[in-house]
Amino acid sequence: MIGGGIIQSGSKVITKTREVDSEIQFRKPNKDDGAAVWELVKHTGILDVNSSYSYLMWCEIFSETSIVVEREGETVGFISGFINPNTPNTLFIWQVAVHESQRGKGLGTRMLFELLNRKFCKDVQYVEATVSPSNIPSQHLFLGLAEKLETNCVMANYFLSIDFPRTGHEDEQLYKIGPIQEENKQLKG
């Protein structure tokens, strides 16, 4: 499971946000986080694991739009994101990783709100991410984010399985959340 804890209530999706441990620290990543982030992603068992080099670069070059979460010196959460150069008002979320000890506590949602409230993301009006059909937790995370931001979530086909070089990769749907009003960027409840 990736992201926040999910509760199904009729047709409504509720993402937990209150149970995040107060000993957790949110911060910008740096290259020293690359190895721990690679390990975290590898141990999710769900996410595509990229080269360790890519996580070193990601933590160094895209630190303004990515986040690391630590608890007692251990990396327990990570989001990699970037401002899409073709749509500078859009934060694209590439990966959301949450350590199994922190799943179901709303950490994914909290990381997204922490990113949206950074000075670097002040012009962000949309969040985009691709999600595979089998990744139900990520689907709930992004649908829940749209609900908390009091905005829309539009889904469309993006990458098809035939676009990938190896067989066996699922389609990836694009989730586009927005427009986001500045006053809704504060996590409530």
Side-chain angles (χ1 to χ4, degrees):
M1 182 166 143
I2 307 298
I6 308 304
I7 300 170
Q8 197 75 28
S9 175
S11 63
K12 199 168 189 171
V13 175
I14 301 167
T15 307
K16 293 183 194 175
T17 55
R18 294 180 188 213
E19 294 182 27
V20 176
D21 192 327
S22 61
E23 297 175 17
I24 289 182
Q25 296 182 338
F26 298 80
R27 63 175 177 78
K28 294 177 189 176
N30 59 60
K31 69 177 177 157
D32 295 334
D33 295 307
V37 165
W38 182 84
E39 289 289 340
L40 175 65
V41 170
K42 184 174 90 172
H43 284 98
T44 66
I46 296 171
L47 297 173
D48 290 337
V49 180
N50 298 286
S51 71
S52 56
Y53 178 77
S54 71
Y55 292 103
L56 290 169
M57 279 188 27
W58 204 276
C59 289
E60 182 71 10
I61 297 171
F62 296 102
S63 63
E64 293 288 344
T65 51
S66 299
I67 192 164
V68 165
V69 181
E70 289 184 319
R71 181 174 187 264
E72 298 176 3
E74 181 183 7
T75 300
V76 295
F78 176 71
I79 289 182
S80 52
F82 62 91
I83 300 295
N84 187 330
N86 298 319
T87 51
N89 66 346
T90 302
L91 175 63
F92 186 89
I93 302 298
W94 179 40
Q95 286 188 314
V96 178
V98 176
H99 189 275
E100 63 187 349
S101 70
Q102 300 302 308
R103 294 179 190 159
K105 298 180 179 181
L107 186 59
T109 299
R110 179 90 183 273
M111 288 190 291
L112 289 166
F113 272 91
E114 292 279 338
L115 284 173
L116 287 172
N117 281 286
R118 286 195 181 156
K119 206 179 268 188
F120 193 84
C121 294
K122 68 178 173 43
D123 295 328
V124 168
Q125 294 178 319
Y126 294 90
V127 172
E128 291 183 343
T130 61
V131 180
S132 61
S134 67
N135 193 339
I136 303 300
S138 283
Q139 292 173 33
H140 286 257
L141 173 66
F142 290 110
L143 290 171
L145 177 67
E147 189 172 316
K148 288 187 182 319
L149 290 169
E150 299 177 15
T151 193
N152 303 313
C153 182
V154 177
M155 295 166 281
N157 290 332
Y158 196 65
F159 294 122
L160 302 177
S161 61
I162 60 172
D163 294 331
F164 293 93
R166 296 174 294 175
T167 58
H169 199 293
E170 290 183 89
D171 292 348
E172 294 276 341
Q173 279 199 311
L174 180 68
Y175 282 54
K176 183 172 183 143
I177 299 163
I180 301 168
Q181 301 301 315
E182 189 64 35
E183 63 270 13
N184 293 336
K185 288 184 179 181
Q186 298 302 314
L187 186 58
K188 299 169 188 124

